[in-house]
Amino acid sequence: MTKGIHHITAIASDAIETVHFYTKILGLRLVKKTVNQDDPETYHLFFGDRLGHPGMDLTFFIFLPAMQGKIGTGLVSKISLAVPESALQFWLERFQHYKVRHEEIEELCGKKRVSFFDKDGQCLELVGLSQDEFDSELDLWTAEVSEEHAIRNFYAATLSVVSIDAIEPVLTHVFGYKLHHTDGHIRQYVLSGSQRAQYLEVSEEPSAAPGFNAAGTVHHIAFRAKDAKQQQTMRNAVLELGLYPTEVINRFYFQSVYFRTPAGILFEIATDGPGFTADEDEVELGKQLSLPPFLQPHREEIEKHLKPIPSE
Ligand code: ZN
């Protein structure tokens, strides 16, 4: 059984804009500035809490040239972030101040929420929770937004699917999610025994158009395995469903297994460790371009292709 969302990786069109939005406006920390290991001439940027712990690690591939994506079925269509309910008004005012496209407060599955969009049209939302609903071991980054208002961790992600049957067996059999709440066409699933990024929301849209996976959409969602052994157990559960997981891939900051769900959404199973301090000291995280050992010999060539990101 997973403990929840490990990270979510989305696609963006511009590294500098993305760093500005997620650090200066949302107040997350750029915990790792590295490259896409499958396409090392493009950035892979990781934003998180102080150390980018599993459960608060939102990452972006900067795909060039950028094509505009379209939210639709077969994709993660919304990224939900947990904040104290008392902070929602602060965030509404902050979005107005920074001219962030957003909606008004609405309620879904018993929680107040504010949807908003980054410059690529990536759909996110803040979900207001009461203090007793948060993980007791928060490790917040408060350089831009004070502790009182700061984003805590993922609350959930919305999976848009044509049919619930194409996703539910994966959620229940591989990861241990249980149906918790139904609100209109949204089914909310939860993991028992976890207080961090433990929800998923599935939107069943039988007649909606498929999404197009490019800038402004999510590339994949990763779920936590506490270690290699638990990752193997989940990989076996994927095989039992007749699906095709990859072998374990060493991503240096964690070990990964990927598989495509019958709903079309790309899933990953990622180990909790070793994490982002594997190659940088806590205070230095994200300041320099980090490369995994197999790319170190190519640093000079790689850097030629990357537009430098000024530190703000
Ligand atoms: Zn990933």
Side-chain angles (χ1 to χ4, degrees):
M1 179 186 283
T2 184
K3 285 189 84 181
I5 299 169
H6 183 288
H7 65 270
I8 296 176
T9 295
I11 305 170
S13 61
D14 185 272
I16 294 169
E17 289 276 8
T18 301
V19 169
H20 177 78
F21 188 86
Y22 289 91
T23 63
K24 291 291 159 181
I25 301 178
L26 292 196
L28 299 175
R29 184 182 190 186
L30 175 61
V31 289
K32 193 64 63 182
K33 184 163 60 178
T34 183
V35 294
N36 181 344
Q37 294 183 17
D38 300 321
D39 182 14
E41 295 176 359
T42 59
Y43 276 120
H44 190 183
L45 305 172
F46 294 72
F47 301 91
D49 55 12
R50 194 178 66 86
L51 297 183
H53 293 282
M56 186 58 264
D57 176 19
L58 175 54
T59 97
F60 289 86
F61 291 141
I62 310 296
F63 279 178
L64 298 172
M67 287 216 292
Q68 182 60 52
K70 192 168 97 33
I71 290 168
T73 55
L75 291 178
V76 171
S77 56
K78 189 179 273 193
I79 299 163
S80 304
L81 302 163
V83 296
E85 191 184 324
S86 56
L88 287 176
Q89 194 56 38
F90 163 88
W91 282 101
L92 279 174
E93 287 162 23
R94 192 171 177 85
F95 291 159
Q96 275 151 18
H97 176 78
Y98 285 104
K99 300 191 167 40
V100 174
R101 181 156 72 95
H102 66 280
E103 287 164 12
E104 293 309 312
I105 296 176
E106 49 193 2
E107 199 164 315
L108 182 74
C109 298
K111 300 287 176 223
K112 289 198 170 70
R113 303 163 183 236
V114 175
S115 294
F116 65 101
F117 302 86
D118 74 8
K119 287 238 169 114
D120 287 314
Q122 185 71 56
C123 182
L124 302 109
E125 75 177 354
L126 297 174
V127 180
L129 303 186
S130 57
Q131 289 303 341
D132 62 348
E133 292 179 276
F134 292 114
D135 184 350
S136 56
E137 290 171 29
L138 293 173
D139 189 11
L140 302 178
W141 180 247
T142 54
E144 297 292 335
V145 176
S146 71
E147 186 177 341
E148 182 188 5
H149 302 128
I151 292 168
R152 271 46 184 158
N153 41 248
F154 293 120
Y155 173 74
T158 303
L159 314 177
S160 286
V161 301
V162 172
S163 161
I164 192 74
D165 299 335
I167 199 75
E168 192 177 68
V170 177
L171 303 186
T172 56
H173 183 70
V174 178
F175 296 119
Y177 283 94
K178 292 205 164 47
L179 183 62
H180 180 58
H181 206 110
T182 302
D183 190 343
H185 64 289
I186 298 289
R187 285 183 214 217
Q188 185 182 65
Y189 292 81
V190 70
L191 297 161
S192 53
S194 180
Q195 274 212 304
R196 185 178 172 84
Q198 74 271 41
Y199 292 98
L200 276 183
E201 292 176 346
V202 179
S203 174
E204 191 179 32
E205 304 163 15
S207 51
F212 176 64
N213 202 201
T217 65
V218 170
H219 187 270
H220 65 268
I221 179 169
F223 298 88
R224 294 174 65 179
K226 71 172 191 286
D227 52 27
K229 186 162 168 270
Q230 193 183 38
Q231 184 180 50
Q232 244 352 290
T233 305
M234 291 182 196
R235 187 179 181 280
N236 289 337
V238 174
L239 288 167
E240 283 162 15
L241 291 177
L243 304 176
Y244 301 93
T246 64
E247 295 301 321
V248 176
I249 300 171
N250 182 2
R251 293 304 193 189
F252 191 61
Y253 305 111
F254 37 81
Q255 310 282 322
S256 299
V257 168
Y258 301 86
F259 64 101
R260 182 81 57 189
T261 63
I265 304 171
L266 183 62
F267 275 18
E268 176 182 348
I269 304 165
T271 55
D272 277 359
F276 297 114
T277 50
D279 61 352
E280 285 181 312
D281 194 60
E282 282 185 21
V283 294
E284 297 298 324
L285 287 181
K287 291 185 180 169
Q288 307 294 329
L289 182 72
S290 297
L291 294 175
F294 83 98
L295 289 174
Q296 291 285 4
H298 311 288
R299 178 175 281 273
E300 206 177 321
E301 184 60 24
I302 288 170
E303 285 185 339
K304 267 191 229 162
H305 292 275
L306 298 171
K307 183 164 73 170
I309 302 171
S311 52
E312 296 186 49

